[in-house]
Amino acid sequence: MPCAPHEIASLFLFEELSPEQLGRLCHEGRVERFESGPVYTEGSPATCFYVMIEGTVVLSRRVGADDVEVSRTSQRGVYSGAMQAYLGDRVPQTYTNSMRVTEPTRFFVLPAQSFADIMREWFPMAAHLLEGLFFGSRNSQRAIGQRERLLALGSLSAGLTHELNNPAAAAVRATATLRERVGKMRHKLAHISQGRYTREAIADLIEIQERTVERVAKAPALSPLEASDREDELADWLEEHGFPEGWRVAPVFVQAGLDTDWLEQVAAAVAEDLLPAAVGWLGYTVETELLMSEIEDSTARISHLVDAAKQYSQLDRAPHRVVDVHELLDSTLLMLSGKIGPGVRVVKEYDRSVPDVPAYAAELNQVWTNLIDNAVAAIAETGGEGTLTVRTAREGDRLLVEFRDTGPGVPPEIRSRIFDPFFTTKPVGEGTGLGLDISWRIVVGKHHGSLQVESSPGDTRFQVLLPLTPPDPSEETA
């Protein structure tokens, strides 16, 4: 269609241009009419800069398998397309969204190379300022994003150190106590060997000792009331048979799953006057077994924490693989347990039937970290007492991971901005405003999923939807 300089001069983008400049635009560009339908597609080479003269345009972004509408307007002069052409090959020259028209629409269309040349010739200072703004913002975002990761790593390290300290300290205490008990057992054994025990009695005691060890390993769990009743029963039996301060050892025997029948077997194996020494020796056996079980539990806990840390960081895994999202969630919750605090009740509503998903596991862990951290911060605003619910479910061909908190909610007036870079509601120095932006880029840009929020006071839900099929690597965006 013919390009009339006076018509494009009526568009706000070109209203300050001279007649010579308008003439060049019409010479190098063109006016093009599009019927209802697509104009260009996200990800394809950005060949043209479009300025709408009349009609209606709709801009959309690809989210998973869907195109999500981000803008719809009939305002004359709106523009889109190859807006970064003046940056040259320093950035990928592809369309960052899709554009379609809903009615016959006319555009002024300028080739990308002409747009780049005009920007540099007519507005050299503005081009330099825009270039500095673009790369400066991107570098700042990258630097602060790195700081965000380091802050998260520091927080996780502190939490992991705290979690490791408890089982490690328990193992140290149990080892020291075990050394003491083994020493007393040797002393008691020497006392027994020098006493009036017959060979048969010692053999019976050793047999009872072996059966005691087996019984300790299979000790049943008792309720507090059942344990208290059995302790009283054992203490009475020991007192009746001349064992001094039987109430001190009764709790140990109960913890080991022993009862009065076991004591009767011991009494039948030795003379009555030797019974206290024999029960004491077997008591040390029980204590050493319990202490070794405590050490085993503590070291297993340490091993579990180390495995969780490896799972969280994905140090020994391929960057992209098929993962069980529940393993990732559990490792992240464990890493953040110190930061979550005792006032936050964590509820897991996992649908274990959902299939594994193809993903960059370490980066998804970063998403979980950011969303859990936000939820905990929100709950802290209400006094630190609340519930964090982590739910998984299948929704069609996508996997849903939802984080729900009972905090005050996200105000409606800022809800549309929470995924913007550097936007934060935290006090200065406490937030970078990049946690949700990074999460958005990981979920939407790298995994072709979606990240959305639904919020009301006492019920805020961040929902991550991940495709169950691998994305096309050529479609990944930063």
Side-chain angles (χ1 to χ4, degrees), residues 87-104:
L87 296 173
D89 57 6
R90 287 173 293 175
V91 297
Q93 293 296 334
T94 57
Y95 292 119
T96 58
N97 52 35
S98 296
M99 183 166 71
R100 62 186 175 88
V101 296
T102 59
E103 59 180 324

Side-chain angles (χ1 to χ4, degrees), residues 187-246:
H187 177 75
K188 184 67 69 174
L189 181 60
H191 179 72
I192 289 176
S193 65
Q194 294 170 5
R196 301 186 304 277
Y197 290 86
T198 64
R199 180 179 298 179
E200 291 76 12
I202 292 177
D204 289 341
L205 280 175
I206 292 174
E207 182 185 356
I208 293 173
Q209 183 185 40
E210 293 298 325
R211 284 190 278 118
T212 300
V213 170
E214 294 178 5
R215 193 158 179 173
V216 171
K218 301 175 182 178
L222 300 177
S223 68
L225 182 60
E226 291 173 330
S228 178
D229 290 343
R230 185 170 292 186
E231 286 174 16
D232 292 341
E233 185 180 352
L234 285 175
D236 292 342
W237 189 97
L238 291 169
E239 185 177 350
E240 291 173 3
H241 290 76
F243 196 91
E245 297 185 330

